[in-house]
Amino acid sequence: MSKIPVIEIFGPTIQGEGMVIGQKTMFVRTAGCDYSCSWCDSAFTWDGSGKSLIKQMTAEEIWNELKRLGGNGFSFVTISGGNPALIRHLEHLVRILKENGIQIGVETQGSRWQDWLYEVDQLTISPKPPSSGMKTDFTVLTEILEKLENRKGSQQVSLKVVVFDEKDYGFAKEVHLRYPGVPFFLQVGNDDIATTDQKKLVHHLLKKYEALIDTVMADEELKNVKVLPQLHTLVWGNKRGV
Ligand SMILES: C[S@@+](CC[C@H](N)C(=O)[O-])C[C@H]1O[C@@H](n2cnc3c(N)ncnc32)[C@H](O)[C@@H]1O
Ligand SMILES: Nc1nc2[nH]cc(C(=O)O)c2c(=O)[nH]1
Ligand code: SF4
Ligand SMILES: [Mg+2]
């Protein structure tokens, strides 16, 4: 059976970001990314520091681990990474989750396509702004969004851009104005991903959230948008596996 590189499986917890914020969910985090964002809060998935944590698992093994951790107490699984859209074999996990009546969420940056993305119930695509050091290939992103336009009725797709500075804000606007029909989220960037001083971090991030709200409220070009913090970071700081 084909193996999937998994770096962590955790939950149940709440989805802390984006269109499904607050949803009770399990997480499967795959290893490996085609990007290397300067501020990635999950760099251990791709920078070698988490190498010893990576397990090659079959879809059945992942499903068994999800049940061991979550028992009968979950109906939603979020697949993140790294970039899960690098891994074709996730189609097997998606099938097992579907067969068991589990709703699926995916977090990806919109740089790669896989056919199993059609089966995802809540798909968050998060193009990277300039501060990440990455460059979005808009031809690829447009192709992906065009494929998803013909999706079945129950699937929801959203765009989410993390904002650290003014240039990022300009990029976020560009993305929203390019794809005005796709539900759009702005997310506060965490620029202190290493600190263990949670009180200070939360205070700092709430200030940044307030500033981002102020900017968007004053901006006539951004109307039908949602502005969110990373809720899990406000609750648990930079802790991993929550
Ligand atoms: C770790 S990524 C994994 C999925 C995929 N590679 C992606 O970037 O969309 C999950 C989400 O966390 C966001 N993220 C990563 N580092 C962040 C940070 N320092 N502050 C805020 N959001 C961050 C990403 O933009 C993405 O939306
Ligand atoms: N609670 C919680 N919500 C999340 N939403 C997106 C996450 C991610 O790292 O992809 C994440 C995460 O790591 N934890
Ligand atoms: S695309 Fe996602 S996982 Fe990859 S480096 Fe950027 S934030 Fe991290
Ligand atoms: Mg995260």
Side-chain angles (χ1 to χ4, degrees):
M1 203 40 191
S2 30
K3 305 273 181 133
I4 296 158
V6 177
I7 203 155
E8 58 177 1
I9 298 177
F10 61 93
T13 183
I14 51 132
Q15 166 57 279
E17 302 178 18
M19 72 204 292
V20 214
I21 194 162
Q23 172 70 47
K24 183 178 183 183
T25 183
M26 302 296 292
F27 273 87
V28 176
R29 193 184 299 284
T30 59
C33 195
D34 46 328
Y35 281 12
S36 53
C37 300
S38 60
W39 37 251
C40 179
D41 64 8
S42 305
F44 70 106
T45 61
W46 54 264
D47 69 1
S49 63
K51 210 172 165 210
S52 64
L53 303 172
I54 301 170
K55 275 198 207 160
Q56 299 293 334
M57 298 174 80
T58 64
E60 285 78 10
E61 286 166 346
I62 296 171
W63 173 236
N64 288 337
E65 180 61 6
L66 285 166
K67 280 190 299 183
R68 190 186 70 76
L69 288 170
N72 285 318
F74 67 95
S75 63
F76 201 107
V77 171
T78 305
I79 306 170
S80 185
N83 186 5
L86 294 175
I87 304 166
R88 189 160 71 81
H89 295 148
L90 275 172
E91 67 193 6
H92 303 298
L93 179 62
V94 167
R95 185 170 33 79
I96 291 175
L97 294 174
K98 289 269 150 185
E99 282 166 5
N100 285 277
I102 303 291
Q103 294 245 106
I104 305 167
V106 163
E107 304 271 338
T108 186
Q109 63 265 44
S111 59
R112 299 292 174 93
W113 174 259
Q114 297 290 343
D115 280 339
W116 55 260
L117 289 170
Y118 283 127
E119 308 303 320
V120 172
D121 300 288
Q122 305 277 341
L123 177 59
T124 294
I125 300 179
S126 182
K128 295 297 172 268
S131 66
S132 68
M134 300 298 112
K135 201 163 162 44
T136 296
D137 184 335
F138 278 101
T139 307
V140 172
L141 182 60
T142 301
E143 272 170 22
I144 290 173
L145 289 170
E146 277 173 359
K147 279 177 189 284
L148 293 165
E149 252 175 54
N150 310 314
R151 62 196 178 262
K152 55 181 191 297
S154 60
Q155 185 183 45
Q156 293 187 332
V157 177
S158 71
L159 285 162
K160 175 176 76 180
V161 176
V162 179
V163 175
F164 285 81
D165 57 28
E166 266 175 49
K167 273 196 183 153
D168 290 357
Y169 184 79
F171 174 84
K173 248 167 104 157
E174 181 191 340
V175 170
H176 177 52
L177 298 176
R178 251 182 207 256
Y179 311 107
V182 184
F184 189 76
F185 293 75
L186 294 109
Q187 172 166 305
V188 175
N190 176 5
D191 54 8
D192 199 357
I193 52 177
T195 185
T196 52
D197 187 342
Q198 193 179 328
K199 210 175 150 200
K200 197 169 136 222
L201 178 65
V202 169
H203 179 78
H204 172 64
L205 292 176
L206 282 174
K207 283 284 165 212
K208 289 195 33 158
Y209 183 36
E210 187 179 8
L212 185 57
I213 293 172
D214 288 346
T215 306
V216 175
M217 297 309 116
D219 189 337
E220 291 193 343
E221 280 181 302
L222 291 185
K223 292 191 245 290
N224 191 16
V225 300
K226 294 189 169 75
V227 186
L228 286 176
Q230 282 182 301
L231 194 52
H232 55 102
T233 310
L234 297 181
V235 178
W236 296 295
N238 287 322
K239 198 168 149 197
R240 193 181 287 179
V242 288

